[in-house]
Amino acid sequence: VWNVPSCRSSTMSMADDTEWLRWVTKQFGNIAGKDKEINLEEFKTALQVKESFFAERFFMLFDADGSGSISLEELLGALRLLVHGGPMDKLSFLFQVYDVDGKMRKIPGVLLTPGLCGISGSPTGSGSIDADELHMVLRWCLRESSLSLPEERLGDLTRTLLEAADRDHSGSITFEELREQLEAFPELLENLTISAASWLKPPVPPERRRPRCLSRGYWQNRRGQLGCLGGYTALNLLLFALAALRHRGLGPALALARGCGHCLNLNCALLAVLMLRRCLTWLRSTAVGAVLPLEQHVHFHQLVGYVVLALAAAHTAAHGTSVGVSQRDGGPGLAEYLLWAGPGTAPQTGLALLGLLLAMGTFSSPCVRRGGHFEIFYWTHLSYISIWILLLLHGPHFWKWFLVPGSLFVLEKVLGLAWRRAWLPIVEVTLLPSKVTHLVIQRPPSFHFQPGDYVYLNIPAIATYEWHPFSISSAPEQPETLWLHIRALGQWTNKLYEYFQQLELPSPEPKPLGRSHCWAQVAWEFFQLLDFPLAFPLSQCYIDGPYGTPTRRIFTSEHAVLIGAGIGITPFASILQSIMYRFRRRKQSCPSCHHSWSEELQEQEMSLRKVDFIWITRDQEHFEWFVSLLTKLEMEQAELEPGGKFLELHLYMTSALGRSDMKGLGLQVALDLLAAKEKRDSITGLRTRTQPGRPNWSKVFGKVAEEQRGKVQVFFSGSASLAREIREHCEHFGFRFSKENF
């Protein structure tokens, strides 16, 4: 296909040009039929377009002889102009795409829009773009961008662009007027020059870059993680060497078994330490939290789990080899060794341990946890209690390693049961676009948390034993309720959305509830009769937490960059609200003259000088999740910081045609002009302009670095693939990077 990544430059050397022609010819041969020509449907398939309008317009311009199909010569002639032509050649092509009022050209079996005779020829249209043509093209631009605007707003966009470009007030736009208008947007003209035909260029081989591990930013951003990993590896090697050397007289097999066993003592105890969430949350508030990579505790837990499996397998195999050698010398066989001749219960408990570890490791895989089988993961993971008991029976020295971690584990569980909130009412539920459930839970009086923290949620009506982590999206300064925004991505979250969706639907017969749900309803009705000031619950839930995340460090940062992808905005919603609460508290006013001023924030309260919030979402509907919050933040920002921007918003919509896509160039100009005129964005209604496409991280972080507002720390919540990309750019610019991990 021809839908390939954009090239970095529109100019090609002679060798590149030869290779490109060879590549296009090959692709043409793969798509063309027996007649060695491409019809419209084949052209649309090659471009992988969403809609047919622009495919038809491009097809007509490429079809120079008007035959209804494109030959290889016609295609190459058009592409040479787009690739090697100047900005005006490409702008002329764009103008002819927009000038659609020519005569209908008939292609067999297909009804086309009015066409033009070719790129280099004169247009069959009127030679100018009137309001109706502009309205039609902008409508198709919106559809290509997955944008939905009222007809009135589309009319506003059309009028704004026409008024700006129509210099002679003739009611239409000529080519010269379009050129003059676009000169006011040099970045768009530059993009047009670079990428006019990039979707028809062959893939560019990746640039040879220096390995990331050799860069200074790589080591600086991972020093805590690499230091812990190095220390962990060194400690295991040391323990293995000491144990193996101590037992080397027993033979190599037993020396290996003893070495692995000694390492298993450490790693099985460490597995418990890495999941002590309350201890880790406390550590985040200490100086140790700034050194240790506590946000990686889940990844380290998984790593240690795999190491335990490998050590257990090697330990068992070494003992089996030792028994085989002993049997050859006249000793007991394997069955006899396991049943009668083994030292105590070590062989039996060892095999039981290996079986439990294999089951736990198998059912902890992502395909089980996220594939609708969470309860299998949950119940097999509960076997850690049996594993620890067997380890105490199997290893004579394990208790020494497990004494402190085991005590902390028991203490944390006891405190968890004591602090776990008795069932709490869900007082409000809002079903948002893209299957997001907004839960409003009555907040217990003693529940204290920090911005960005998360809780484990259990709703018995959905699943009795399942607990799932979700970020708190409300601010700590909000005293009465807790907010959770939950995207339906898995089995449990889909059940949650469907459950409350059914409650919203009108039904002639009430849906029967479970026993616990019925008793909860009766209890709340009783309290209502007694006039207790309680809201009637839509359902009951339990919460466990709060637990800390890397974003707790935001208020000790100087310049924070918050990046949320999709529903990853939830922890930052809490943080942004808390920031504005703190700024609101410092605002003072004189009771006599009503003069207002803002006091300086204390260093221990917040050392932030600047916050950049970047939200990347795919669809226009996703902005509805938090658009009211962002609107409020913008209003308070204007009120509290009239002299400058402490909080700067950056919104990106990836489904929209980018500024480098010539199909969406006219729409982006119209949106920019209307936003400048009305002081608000047409897509979200915010003052911040929504940017199409994906962020150019080099430009985004380059601008952040130029501001020089202090040390930059980037906090990210979203997919792992995007996290890797952003981490690379952070390493390049020397920014510290942190990612949410549950």
Side-chain angles (χ1 to χ4, degrees):
V1 299
W2 290 331
N3 190 24
V4 296
S6 298
C7 297
R8 290 182 296 275
S9 173
S10 63
T11 60
M12 295 191 292
S13 66
M14 187 171 295
D16 292 335
D17 188 60
T18 303
E19 178 62 27
W20 173 69
L21 290 174
R22 186 183 301 116
W23 181 85
V24 171
T25 304
K26 180 182 177 182
Q27 295 298 97
F28 183 92
N30 293 336
I31 297 171
K34 295 181 180 179
D35 57 354
K36 301 300 181 182
E37 294 197 345
I38 295 178
N39 60 29
L40 177 61
E41 291 304 319
E42 291 168 336
F43 187 74
K44 288 163 62 176
T45 303
L47 294 182
Q48 297 182 357
V49 293
K50 301 181 198 174
E51 305 289 350
S52 62
F53 174 79
F54 286 104
E56 293 178 7
R57 302 301 301 159
F58 287 12
F59 185 87
M60 285 184 168
L61 292 172
F62 288 177
D63 181 17
D65 61 3
S67 63
S69 60
I70 301 175
S71 65
L72 178 61
E73 291 73 19
E74 288 176 322
L75 179 64
L76 292 179
L79 293 183
R80 283 194 184 95
L81 180 63
L82 284 177
V83 173
H84 299 293
M88 291 305 103
D89 294 318
K90 297 163 187 177
L91 188 58
S92 175
F93 175 80
L94 178 66
F95 182 85
Q96 294 181 67
V97 170
Y98 279 38
D99 186 12
V100 295
D101 64 351
K103 298 179 179 179
M104 296 291 291
R105 175 176 298 164
K106 182 67 175 177
I107 291 181
V110 180
L111 180 64
L112 295 178
T113 54
L116 307 175
C117 68
I119 298 179
S120 57
S122 60
T124 59
S126 62
S128 63
I129 305 169
D130 60 26
D132 292 337
E133 292 173 293
L134 197 57
H135 190 274
M136 177 194 299
V137 173
L138 292 181
R139 184 192 299 278
W140 281 103
C141 287
L142 289 172
R143 291 187 61 173
E144 285 270 358
S145 297
S146 301
L147 285 171
S148 176
L149 294 179
E151 191 66 26
E152 180 183 354
R153 297 303 294 167
L154 178 57
D156 292 339
L157 287 172
T158 303
R159 283 190 297 273
T160 301
L161 182 55
L162 187 62
E163 290 171 1
D166 183 16
R167 304 297 176 87
D168 59 2
H169 306 290
S170 63
S172 61
I173 304 172
T174 63
F175 175 78
E176 287 299 321
E177 288 174 331
L178 179 63
R179 180 182 61 79
E180 291 176 8
Q181 178 60 40
L182 288 182
E183 285 177 351
F185 299 87
E187 183 181 355
L188 294 181
L189 273 180
E190 179 186 357
N191 289 334
L192 184 64
T193 302
I194 291 174
S195 61
S198 61
W199 43 273
L200 287 172
K201 288 184 183 179
V204 177
E207 182 183 356
R208 302 185 69 178
R209 300 174 60 183
R210 184 176 62 174
R212 290 172 56 205
C213 59
L214 300 181
S215 66
R216 179 181 178 184
Y218 180 91
W219 294 99
Q220 185 176 359
N221 217 9
R222 285 178 168 82
R223 54 191 175 189
Q225 182 179 346
L226 294 171
C228 287
L229 191 59
Y232 167 75
T233 304
L235 184 56
N236 272 282
L237 292 174
L238 177 63
L239 291 174
F240 180 87
L242 290 175
L245 290 173
R246 189 182 305 125
H247 298 90
R248 64 182 180 276
L250 300 176
L254 280 178
L256 174 63
R258 299 299 186 190
C260 292
H262 216 45
C263 291
L264 281 168
N265 287 333
L266 166 68
N267 285 276
C268 290
L270 194 57
L271 275 175
V273 172
L274 290 169
M275 296 310 290
L276 298 176
R277 291 188 173 87
R278 284 185 173 82
C279 293
L280 294 174
T281 299
W282 173 77
L283 278 176
R284 292 182 192 279
S285 62
T286 67
V288 178
V291 178
L292 296 178
L294 299 179
E295 67 270 16
Q296 298 290 331
H297 74 98
V298 175
H299 291 160
F300 272 108
H301 175 77
Q302 294 169 342
L303 171 64
V304 174
Y306 290 128
V307 171
V308 166
L309 279 175
L311 289 171
H315 179 77
T316 305
H319 272 299
T321 303
S322 177
V323 171
V325 173
S326 175
Q327 183 181 9
R328 188 181 59 191
D329 296 337
L334 182 60
E336 188 179 357
Y337 175 81
L338 290 174
L339 297 176
W340 298 290
T345 61
Q348 296 83 7
T349 54
L351 285 179
L353 279 168
L354 183 61
L356 287 174
L357 288 172
L358 286 173
M360 182 183 288
T362 301
F363 295 116
S364 297
S365 61
C367 62
V368 174
R369 289 185 289 113
R370 300 172 184 173
H373 306 287
F374 182 85
E375 289 194 354
I376 297 177
F377 159 77
Y378 176 81
W379 287 110
T380 53
H381 235 63
L382 282 181
S383 63
Y384 66 79
I385 299 173
S386 303
I387 289 174
W388 285 338
I389 294 173
L390 289 171
L391 281 168
L392 291 169
L393 296 173
H394 180 80
H397 301 290
F398 178 68
W399 68 272
K400 301 174 185 177
W401 295 87
F402 189 65
L403 182 61
V404 174
S407 300
L408 288 174
F409 181 84
V410 172
L411 177 63
E412 186 159 299
K413 287 297 180 183
V414 171
L415 290 176
L417 290 173
W419 294 346
R420 183 170 290 175
R421 313 299 162 180
W423 71 268
L424 299 171
I426 300 175
V427 295
E428 183 181 341
V429 177
T430 305
L431 300 182
L432 299 172
S434 299
K435 299 184 75 173
V436 170
T437 308
H438 176 204
L439 300 181
V440 179
I441 303 170
Q442 184 168 310
R443 179 177 175 179
S446 59
F447 187 84
H448 304 290
F449 68 98
Q450 297 295 321
D453 284 0
Y454 68 97
V455 294
Y456 275 83
L457 175 69
N458 169 258
I459 301 180
I462 308 300
T464 306
Y465 301 107
E466 292 192 26
W467 292 78
H468 296 272
F470 299 105
S471 297
I472 303 172
S473 52
S474 54
E477 292 83 357
Q478 189 173 320
E480 298 179 354
T481 57
L482 290 172
W483 290 3
L484 300 178
H485 285 75
I486 302 172
R487 179 101 184 259
L489 294 174
Q491 186 183 47
W492 188 90
T493 51
N494 272 295
K495 282 184 178 179
L496 175 73
Y497 185 88
E498 292 166 3
Y499 174 77
F500 288 109
Q501 190 178 41
Q502 290 175 0
L503 293 182
E504 278 194 344
L505 296 175
S507 177
E509 297 181 1
K511 184 179 178 181
L513 299 172
R515 176 176 295 182
S516 62
H517 211 110
C518 290
W519 278 112
Q521 184 172 346
V522 171
W524 276 90
E525 288 176 352
F526 173 73
F527 283 121
Q528 289 288 322
L529 290 174
L530 295 179
D531 291 330
F532 272 64
L534 301 173
F536 189 84
L538 298 173
S539 185
Q540 64 175 354
C541 69
Y542 299 88
I543 60 173
D544 180 24
Y547 297 109
T549 63
T551 51
R552 281 194 170 194
R553 294 197 299 268
I554 183 176
F555 294 107
T556 61
S557 306
E558 294 176 338
H559 189 166
V561 180
L562 311 179
I563 305 175
I567 200 62
I569 185 183
T570 49
F572 302 137
S574 173
I575 291 168
L576 293 174
Q577 291 177 85
S578 185
I579 288 174
M580 299 316 295
Y581 271 115
R582 297 179 188 216
F583 268 90
R584 196 182 304 138
R585 283 203 306 266
R586 72 173 185 158
K587 189 173 180 62
Q588 305 291 333
S589 59
C590 175
S592 302
C593 65
H594 303 292
H595 172 69
S596 62
W597 71 95
S598 295
E599 295 181 344
E600 290 293 328
L601 285 170
Q602 299 298 321
E603 189 71 21
Q604 64 269 20
E605 185 178 10
M606 187 167 68
S607 58
L608 276 172
R609 302 177 190 171
K610 175 73 185 299
V611 176
D612 282 282
F613 171 63
I614 302 172
W615 187 14
I616 309 163
T617 186
R618 174 167 179 77
D619 298 322
Q620 180 184 7
E621 289 184 340
H622 294 179
F623 289 118
E624 296 180 27
W625 300 341
F626 291 100
V627 69
S628 58
L629 169 62
L630 297 179
T631 302
K632 185 178 180 181
L633 289 174
E634 281 191 331
M635 293 174 63
E636 293 188 353
Q637 166 88 355
E639 179 184 349
L640 297 176
E641 297 290 324
K645 276 195 173 183
F646 166 79
L647 171 63
E648 193 166 349
L649 305 181
H650 311 267
L651 307 179
Y652 292 88
M653 181 177 165
T654 59
S655 67
L657 296 174
R659 294 177 181 272
S660 61
D661 192 324
M662 67 185 311
K663 298 191 298 294
L665 189 143
L667 175 62
Q668 295 307 322
V669 171
L671 287 170
D672 283 341
L673 291 170
L674 190 59
K677 179 181 178 180
E678 297 182 345
K679 306 299 182 186
R680 67 186 181 96
D681 183 52
S682 296
I683 298 174
T684 62
L686 298 169
R687 299 181 184 181
T688 302
R689 170 79 165 89
T690 303
Q691 301 298 323
R694 301 179 182 277
N696 183 326
W697 295 112
S698 296
K699 290 185 177 180
V700 170
F701 288 155
K703 181 183 176 184
V704 169
E706 289 173 1
E707 291 181 2
Q708 298 183 353
R709 302 291 290 271
K711 291 183 179 180
V712 178
Q713 185 154 356
V714 177
F715 300 89
F716 175 74
S717 178
S719 67
S721 58
L722 184 56
R724 287 191 292 270
E725 180 184 354
I726 295 174
R727 182 190 287 271
E728 287 187 25
H729 284 85
C730 288
E731 291 167 2
H732 175 74
F733 284 93
F735 300 161
R736 187 172 180 181
F737 176 84
S738 298
K739 180 185 181 297
E740 295 283 344
N741 291 297
F742 293 135

